[in-house]
Each structure stands twice: as C-alpha cells, then as structure tokens.
Amino acid sequence: METKMWILMVEAGVALFLLVFIVWWTMFAGRKDVDRKDVDRRVDERDDTRP
C-alpha cells in the first residue's frame, strides 16, 4: 500500500501544476494594453450617447 502512495502524490502534483498553469495562462496571455485602451475608448464613446 505504501508503494502506491507516491503515484497519488505525483498525480496530485501534476493536477496542481496544471491548475496553476491554466490560471496563469489566462491571466497574463490576454490582450495587450494598447487593445484595452481602444476598448475603453469605445466604451466611453457609447456612454456619451446615453440620454
């Protein structure tokens, strides 16, 4: 039983690594700052047209 425990630990480590990697990828692999400024400008223009 003790010899099979390392398999579970390796699997848990890989799952944790994948979770952290996916979160990191989605946070920092998005649009660049230039694209965000363009979107903010478009949102501001729409807000000006409201009554």
Side-chain angles (χ1 to χ4, degrees):
M1 188 68 159
E2 189 68 32
T3 57
K4 294 182 181 181
M5 191 65 159
W6 70 272
I7 294 173
L8 292 175
M9 292 299 179
V10 170
E11 184 179 358
V14 170
L16 180 63
F17 171 78
L18 284 174
L19 175 68
V20 170
F21 178 75
I22 289 170
V23 169
W24 177 81
W25 183 268
T26 57
M27 285 179 63
F28 299 114
R31 297 174 294 169
K32 305 296 181 228
D33 287 338
V34 176
D35 293 338
R36 290 185 187 139
K37 289 177 184 175
D38 292 339
V39 170
D40 290 341
R41 192 175 314 128
R42 284 186 231 136
V43 170
D44 290 339
E45 289 171 359
R46 280 189 267 152
D47 288 341
D48 292 341
T49 60
R50 290 184 182 170

